Amino acid sequence: MSPDYILETRGLTREFSGFVAVKDVELKVRGGSIHGLIGPNGAGKTTMFNMLTKFLLPSSGSIIYRGSDITGERPARVARRGLVRSFQISSTFPHMTVLENVRIALQRKMGGSFQFWRSERALDHLHDSAIRILASVELADYANLNAVELPYGRKRALELATTLALEPELLLLDEPTQGVAHEDVGRVVALIKKFAQGRTVLMVEHNLSVVEDLCDKITVLQRGQVLAEGSYQEVSNNPQVLEAYVGVADE
Amino acid sequence: MTFVRKHAVLLSLVVVLAIAPFLFYPVLVMKVLCFALFACAFNLLLGYTGLLSFGHAAYFGAGAYTTGYAMTAWATTPELGLLFGVVTAALLGAVFGGLAIRRQGIYFAMITLALAQMLYFFCLQAPFTGGEDGLQGVPRGKLFGLIDLGNDDVMYVFVSLVFLGGFWLIDRIIRSPFGQVLKSIRENEDRALSLGYDVDRYKLVAFVLSSALAGLAGATKTLTFGFATLTDVFWGTSGEVVLMTLVGGVGTVLGPVIGAVVIIVLQNELADKVGSWVLVILGAIFVVNVLLFRKGIVGEITARFNRT
């Protein structure tokens, strides 16, 4: 494979009892880029995501990350390789404090998480880093609040902060602006832009202006297959893509 | 002062345990302590890992029987007897837990129940468990070969120390780096997985720790009363520990202790007066618990306290 690509899929296919959700997808994500994955509902975007992070096993095909085949690996192992996902529905640890949410991610990198005999003070040295990360998403003031008490937009920011605490090489974002109030979308976009520097991002997104703003390259899926690929300009002028989207709009 | 504040719960338990034998029958208090430790061990799984084991009597009973066997057949000293019980319960927990954690939710609960039932019938049939009679007349022996536990007052101190040690360890586990991961699994398993935690391995370690402590509780019970019977591995005992934990307050440090006090004292007081109706009364308490005070006694009090 070409060394520029951090993530590649070859003939990736997933069937659910006869229904083919993703078919023969060849996806190539260039290192350091923000790659968008778009398509109408049911195009197979979330299935793709779940396969890439090993929450689902592919029916056939392979996934290559940094030159090694990770198709059969377990989710926790993939995460430790630096391929970390966010979830479509804001996914925090609700009854842990905002600080603990980030700290649990920092703790994983540190190791020693099986030490049941040590005091919680063993984690105190992570507080400064945790606060710094929270400050970068404007959550430092909420550090001692339980995550469940945050408003939705802030939960999104917290989820992003937790993910970023792992310093992932490849960040998979599943609809990062979904459910975020209109006026907060700009803030989430700015956050992603800031953290995408020096990293690779693969994101599923419905909001096309966000995609236009952020993505270097876009892959359009339809009915589980790649319909088009290219820059926002190329893709948005592609007659097949227009048809697919207009077709959906007509329903 | 910070020491007092940090260990406030533990210190108040020490005070209560020091006074209790002057107010209540010491053997009853010892029984409460054994079940309180059992419930605390169970709570480590349900309250702090989010796993409902519906066959926890298996580990309590395994500890009870093996310690009883070691004390009777090999005439070991009590500390070695307890150790044997704890290790057996932990090993059993590793095998049963290893099988059960492959499934989640209700399936996990059902598998733990099925495995516990297997152990029950094993204990009914095996040649060394005494069948329906159980193991009777288990000696208490001399601690380290020196201190005779035959005296109830000495035994009381010993049981109190075992309980306090177990309680302290559980509290420590909950607050450890490991406990933080358990909490995150309880809160959002998929998210913990996506952060790179091998959740099944954490669950298994938690399961083994909980089984070992349940075994310690069962083993201590055998020493106290001098017998291990089928009741110790019976599914009803598994149900009782769930009830104690829920009534006291799941996911609270002190809840299972309070729950054990309430249930054991009720059983003790009512057994002579209403006979088997005690089961109906406990059932009614459970219904009220689920309908009206779902957080349990300690959980509700803490919630009230925080609101004001």
Side-chain angles (χ1 to χ4, degrees), chain A residues 80 91 95 104 107-108 163, chain B residues 177 187-188 191 195-197:
Chain A
R80 289 200 292 269
S91 183
H95 297 98
I104 197 80
Q107 186 190 331
R108 209 274 287 143
T163 308
Chain B
E187 290 291 302
N188 191 339
R191 184 59 175 154
L195 291 181
Y197 287 109

Side-chain angles (χ1 to χ4, degrees), chain B residues 170-181:
Chain B
I170 291 168
D171 194 45
R172 183 82 172 187
I173 293 170
I174 292 163
R175 293 165 198 273
S176 70
F178 175 71
Q180 281 291 309
V181 180

Side-chain angles (χ1 to χ4, degrees), chain B residues 33-47:
Chain B
L33 287 178
C34 293
F35 278 91
L37 180 59
F38 182 26
C40 287
F42 174 79
N43 189 37
L44 178 63
L45 278 189
L46 183 61

Side-chain angles (χ1 to χ4, degrees), chain B residues 198-239:
Chain B
D198 235 321
V199 296
D200 280 357
R201 284 174 60 200
Y202 286 87
K203 282 183 186 174
L204 183 59
V205 174
F207 201 97
V208 172
L209 287 170
S210 172
S211 308
L213 286 155
L216 178 64
T220 310
K221 190 233 70 175
T222 297
L223 281 187
T224 308
F225 293 100
F227 57 77
T229 62
L230 286 172
T231 311
D232 299 337
V233 284
F234 187 52
W235 64 266
T237 305
S238 296

